[in-house]
Amino acid sequence: MSAETSETTAAPADAPPARRAAHRPAPRRNLPPVVVHLGWALVAFALLVGLTMITDPFTNLRIATIGYYLIAIAGLALLTGLNGQVSLGHGAFMFIGAYTVALLVLHLPGLPFWADLLLATVAGGLAGLLAGAAAARLHGPYLAGATLALAVGLPAITQRYPDFLGGSNGVSFSVNSQPAGLVGVVPATRWEAWVVWATALLAMVILVNMSRGRLGRSLRAVRDDEVAASLAGIHVGRTKILAFIVSSACAGLAGGLQAFLLGTAAPGSFTVALSLSLLAALVLGGLGSLWGAFWAAIAFVYFQAWAEDAADAVDLPVNVENNLPLALYGTVLILVILLFPAGIHGGITRLRAALKTSRQGRSGRSEGES
Amino acid sequence: MRIHRGARIWAVAVAGALVLSACSGAGEAPSGGSGNQPADSAPGVTDNSVVLGSHQPLTGPAAPGYSKISVAAQAMYTYINDNGGVNGRKIEYKVEDDAYNPTKTVEVVKKLVLEEQVFAIVGGLGTPTHSKVLDYLNQEGVPDLLVSSGALMWDQPQKYPMTFGYQVDYLREGKIMGKYVKDNFAGKKVGLFFQGDDVGRDTQAGLDQFIKDQVVTRQPYDPANTDVTPQMLALKSAGAEVVVCACIPSFMALTLLTSAKIAFKPQFVSSSIGADPATLTALLQDFAKRSGATVAPEQLLAGFVGAGYLPRVALTDDAWVKFFKEIHDKYIPTEAFTDTLIFGMAQAYTVGQILKAAGRDLTRRKVVETLETTELKGPALVPFAYSKESHSGYIGAYLVRNNGNGTSTVVQQPMVTDRESGEVKAAGGDRVNPDQTGLLDK
């Protein structure tokens, strides 16, 4: 019995890398994971560039939208999925990122756009440091409440400084990002989609490396059992704050990219509803993994669009039609959680596992026969 | 090995930084040409149809009240189409919901322009929302007609040649309300309650030309926060006897409810955006029902003074109101016939008039030139300002007091003024009837 349990607990942690190593060709094993991930990111970027070439400008905009939500949701996945801290305030960090880019574009026009984005990330991270310092002392619903307060309260700062932050009207600007040689050659929306996705993939590479490495193990250990983690030599408070910093830096970057993409930053865009729907999307996509964030970002952007089209297609009373997309979204969220508690990614993993066992079963039988 | 790998990563990083630093500043003017499409083009126009788009708050904080505007506009376009369309073209009207969220506005307007290939954006609603697509629409050369907001920024013909306002702007309206308050409530303490953006800023600029020394407190609100109790308490404690509001209908209704709750009964004067009595009545009942209370909207609205520039539902003898009522009864009989519906229909009618005047040979440039050179006479009691120098919409307003028993009294005849410090004077000129505009060929 005891041997069995030790084996089963050890298996999930050890089995996947072992299996992967066995499948992997020998020379690859020497490559550091960051290089492998960068390679995959390059492949993904090439695919994405291909995709933007064959789709129309508006689809390019939607693809870019998925890109920045991916960063925000992936950051949330690291915090909530890996570290077990619930944040209902990520909209506020996006707000900070968006306003950082907006103010830099307006007041320091000489800075290139990538520096603006970098600073938006830093600003988000700094805000996360402050929020995280409080977060490390709070648990569960108290933490959720504190972050919720941030989401509710922070956008109101625009009311306090209407001349600087534009009041509830926000600020609008246009971002000049295209290198001179590409203007007129590549349509603006396509270029913006490339920028957003290059950034998103880079961020994903960093997040994947973090979650696979020492930090990721610490985060999971703290999530699963704080006492055990601290006995194992992990500084619990520091780890939690670090998770918050990384996560809110991601949200800051996402907000910065949104501002870059849409040329606007306004408090009306960063409501509590945004924070809540980011979390809802993550649950829909799958909490435990960064792939879940990917499905979540797609669902976040496209599900709403499809639901709106569906609502348009059916002839319904105006009030019903207007609110149908939200109702549909809620229904699907409930259904997914009932059917696949681990979200879309959980569902896909289960499906793949089921396929694999059935295939193995068949091949096993044929081996036996021969 | 370790050092070697680190050096490689650094080399990549430095190379990347060098490539990136070749980019110019994000806030500087783009190095290439602007505008992808010449205004001479006419996307969305075929031999027998023209596609128009609009962004409207169908859900979200501004939806109560405003979500009916596009319903009314659609009814008017259907009526025009059923009567042969404009210059042989049927109007196809595409409405996208932006939930009064600027981010969504940018997205849906790009969708309308890029995917739906609309010829023009008409009646885009809201200042915080529409201001975010102003640059985009003008860069792309898309006519941006009759913006449903009274902000001054639509009237910048040099900077935004494609954009035209519609409503009386908040500054002019503020001047007219200010003069009314000064003439009728001299010496009384005035409190201001307004949306914390252009709406509030411009309205105050107009009001201050007349009643600056009477104002005792200025309270802004944010559309995302539906609790106005702090502001009402501040107005009450400052002893305001007259409260001038520049707010959207849902906040006007909240104001009336909240002030009644704290037993604060000043004289309310509201700008046109929040003054439709039928919409306010419905909202008051709805909000009260949700909080489990019952209210008598007639009592709350008794004495309420609101601005307007279009004919009101109450004017049952007006030829335009009769005309709108006919369309209402035929196409959208289940909707309550309100001033908000009249707004949507009147605006759509004006769009029809613009297309008619631009002629059969329709291009984007032509629409803009037509609007700058044609005097449009339509439903309103005040004229438009459209010219080469001004892209302002209506240039005046009247004020009307709700008597609390379903009737109302005009307390200020239609006045017109400019957006500087010019005087407020009576609107002259004659109105035309719906059958005299020549929009429909029948």
Side-chain angles (χ1 to χ4, degrees):
Chain A
M1 176 65 197
S2 65
E4 234 177 70
T5 41
S6 75
E7 214 178 88
T8 46
T9 47
D14 288 342
R19 217 189 298 141
R20 220 173 287 129
H23 283 291
R24 205 181 281 161
R28 265 247 204 113
R29 206 184 276 176
N30 292 333
L31 284 174
V34 65
V35 175
V36 177
H37 292 147
L38 271 175
W40 281 117
L42 275 179
V43 172
F45 187 65
L47 284 175
L48 186 105
V49 168
L51 188 65
T52 56
M53 300 293 252
I54 55 167
T55 49
D56 62 281
F58 181 68
T59 311
N60 286 345
L61 178 71
R62 278 214 170 128
I63 291 172
T65 308
I66 293 175
Y68 73 75
Y69 279 124
L70 169 62
I71 304 180
I73 297 173
L76 200 55
L78 184 114
L79 183 72
T80 306
L82 258 58
N83 196 226
Q85 301 190 79
V86 177
S87 166
L88 299 180
H90 261 50
F93 299 118
M94 285 182 73
F95 167 87
I96 289 171
Y99 266 86
T100 306
V101 167
L103 295 175
L104 286 171
V105 168
L106 290 172
H107 300 294
L108 287 174
L111 276 186
F113 75 95
W114 58 267
D116 292 353
L117 291 176
L118 208 61
L119 286 169
T121 317
V122 172
L126 282 177
L129 174 66
L130 296 176
R137 291 174 170 78
L138 297 171
H139 287 269
Y142 306 106
L143 174 59
T147 50
L148 183 66
L150 203 61
V152 174
L154 197 63
I157 199 173
T158 53
Q159 301 287 325
R160 190 77 189 72
Y161 305 101
D163 294 326
F164 187 50
L165 300 174
S168 50
N169 211 358
V171 286
S172 58
F173 47 88
S174 40
V175 185
N176 163 39
S177 65
Q178 232 166 335
L182 286 178
V183 175
V185 183
V186 180
T189 45
R190 193 171 293 163
W191 163 256
E192 284 157 5
W194 294 355
V195 169
V196 171
W197 271 91
T199 317
L201 288 167
L202 204 64
M204 289 306 279
V205 167
I206 295 171
L207 286 178
V208 168
N209 275 287
M210 277 183 176
S211 69
R212 293 268 169 87
R214 182 194 165 94
L215 176 66
R217 287 192 294 276
S218 309
L219 291 177
R220 287 189 198 90
V222 168
R223 173 194 66 189
D224 291 343
D225 190 333
E226 288 188 13
V227 177
S230 70
L231 280 175
I234 296 170
H235 195 302
V236 173
R238 206 177 290 160
T239 309
K240 281 178 149 185
I241 294 175
L242 203 58
F244 230 101
I245 292 175
V246 173
S247 176
S248 57
C250 285
L253 178 59
L257 282 171
Q258 187 193 68
F260 159 79
L261 192 66
L262 302 178
T264 148
S269 306
F270 304 96
T271 53
V272 180
L274 171 69
S275 300
L276 295 180
S277 44
L278 285 177
L279 194 62
L282 177 62
V283 172
L284 181 70
L287 254 181
S289 88
L290 292 172
W291 274 107
F294 177 69
W295 302 122
I298 292 180
F300 192 80
V301 174
Y302 263 98
F303 190 83
Q304 213 172 351
W306 286 332
E308 273 165 28
D309 291 347
D312 280 350
V314 201
D315 195 25
L316 288 168
V318 180
N319 281 337
V320 180
E321 185 187 313
N322 294 344
N323 293 298
L324 192 64
L326 280 173
L328 270 177
Y329 188 70
T331 314
V332 168
L333 186 65
I334 293 170
L335 281 179
V336 165
I337 289 171
L338 281 179
L339 298 175
F340 310 106
I344 299 175
H345 184 61
I348 291 173
T349 319
R350 225 162 69 180
L351 210 66
R352 222 167 36 192
L355 278 177
K356 196 173 262 172
T357 39
S358 75
R359 211 184 304 143
Q360 272 172 353
R362 229 178 294 137
S363 65
R365 217 180 303 131
S366 61
E367 266 170 36
E369 272 166 18
S370 69
Chain B
M1 176 65 193
R2 182 167 282 255
I3 296 160
H4 185 68
R5 195 192 300 160
R8 230 182 325 172
I9 292 170
W10 270 112
V12 171
V14 169
L18 283 175
V19 171
L20 287 172
S21 61
C23 299
S24 53
E28 288 164 357
S31 31
S34 60
N36 301 345
Q37 289 170 315
D40 265 330
S41 63
V45 177
T46 67
D47 278 349
N48 49 21
S49 73
V50 50
V51 185
L52 303 175
S54 188
H55 62 87
Q56 299 284 329
L58 304 180
T59 57
Y66 287 163
S67 63
K68 302 295 180 201
I69 290 176
S70 49
V71 176
Q74 181 61 68
M76 178 57 82
Y77 291 128
T78 313
Y79 170 80
I80 292 174
N81 291 344
D82 286 353
N83 285 280
V86 177
N87 296 327
R89 291 195 181 90
K90 303 257 154 117
I91 296 170
E92 205 179 315
Y93 180 56
K94 295 193 184 259
V95 182
E96 288 287 334
D97 178 21
D98 66 6
Y100 213 59
N101 172 348
T103 308
K104 279 223 78 179
T105 311
V106 178
E107 196 190 310
V108 299
V109 166
K110 286 191 173 176
K111 182 181 177 192
L112 287 167
V113 171
L114 297 171
E115 198 172 75
E116 312 278 1
Q117 297 272 319
V118 296
F119 174 69
I121 298 290
V122 294
L125 193 146
T127 310
T129 47
H130 196 77
S131 58
K132 306 306 180 298
V133 291
L134 205 50
D135 281 326
Y136 175 73
L137 290 174
N138 280 277
Q139 266 164 28
E140 298 287 317
V142 182
D144 177 21
L145 311 175
L146 314 187
V147 181
S148 296
S149 144
L152 295 171
M153 67 176 98
W154 322 130
D155 178 24
Q156 298 182 66
Q158 297 298 322
K159 196 174 171 199
Y160 300 120
M162 310 306 284
T163 301
F164 290 83
Y166 175 68
Q167 293 170 213
V168 56
D169 62 65
Y170 302 127
L171 183 78
R172 284 185 166 98
E173 200 175 24
K175 281 171 72 178
I176 292 166
M177 289 193 295
K179 182 169 162 38
Y180 166 76
V181 171
K182 189 181 179 177
D183 292 349
N184 293 277
F185 303 97
K188 296 227 163 131
K189 289 180 179 170
V190 178
L192 306 184
F193 180 62
F194 49 87
Q195 191 160 302
D197 54 23
D198 294 47
V199 178
R201 198 187 59 212
D202 298 347
T203 309
Q204 287 184 78
L207 288 167
D208 284 347
Q209 290 191 21
F210 292 89
I211 52 169
K212 192 168 188 180
D213 48 348
Q214 280 178 261
V215 175
V216 288
T217 180
R218 297 167 191 263
Q219 296 294 324
Y221 73 88
D222 173 26
N225 183 353
T226 53
D227 183 8
V228 298
T229 315
Q231 290 95 327
M232 289 306 121
L233 285 170
L235 286 163
K236 188 184 182 186
S237 66
E241 294 156 282
V242 179
V243 172
V244 182
C245 301
C247 26
I248 57 178
S250 44
F251 278 83
M252 194 63 242
L254 285 169
T255 298
L256 292 171
L257 280 175
T258 311
S259 60
K261 203 162 72 186
I262 61 167
F264 174 45
K265 286 200 164 287
Q267 167 66 52
F268 283 109
V269 178
S270 163
S271 58
S272 57
I273 51 171
D276 173 6
T279 300
L280 287 177
T281 302
L283 287 171
L284 287 169
Q285 279 162 342
D286 182 39
F287 290 166
K289 200 168 78 187
R290 277 193 236 172
S291 63
T294 50
V295 294
E298 308 81 40
Q299 276 175 19
L300 286 177
L301 283 169
F304 178 86
V305 172
Y309 43 92
L310 294 170
R312 290 165 291 127
V313 168
L315 299 175
T316 44
D317 290 337
D318 187 276
W320 284 95
V321 175
K322 280 184 188 158
F323 170 63
F324 293 141
K325 185 83 172 76
E326 263 171 45
I327 294 174
H328 166 266
D329 292 349
K330 181 160 182 208
Y331 295 100
I332 42 172
T334 53
E335 301 290 346
F337 187 56
T338 62
D339 289 350
T340 308
L341 283 197
I342 288 187
F343 178 96
M345 289 193 199
Q347 195 179 37
Y349 192 91
T350 307
V351 170
Q353 285 181 292
I354 297 168
L355 292 179
K356 178 80 181 180
R360 169 78 188 157
D361 182 21
L362 195 61
T363 66
R364 284 176 163 174
R365 181 188 301 251
K366 209 156 170 201
V367 159
V368 170
E369 284 172 2
T370 305
L371 201 42
E372 283 177 342
T373 52
T374 315
E375 190 193 356
L376 294 172
K377 289 206 164 198
L381 289 88
V382 292
F384 283 118
Y386 302 138
S387 69
K388 279 210 168 12
E389 292 74 38
S390 172
H391 283 192
S392 271
Y394 289 120
I395 57 166
Y398 60 84
L399 289 166
V400 63
R401 189 179 62 228
N402 194 308
N403 294 331
N405 53 8
T407 65
S408 53
T409 315
V410 174
V411 291
Q412 174 74 74
Q413 291 301 324
M415 304 294 271
V416 293
T417 185
D418 60 13
R419 47 175 288 188
E420 311 300 329
S421 52
E423 66 167 324
V424 176
K425 55 188 180 208
D430 44 341
R431 287 172 75 209
V432 294
N433 285 336
D435 49 359
Q436 294 171 322
T437 60
L439 172 60
L440 300 170
D441 299 324
K442 61 168 187 177

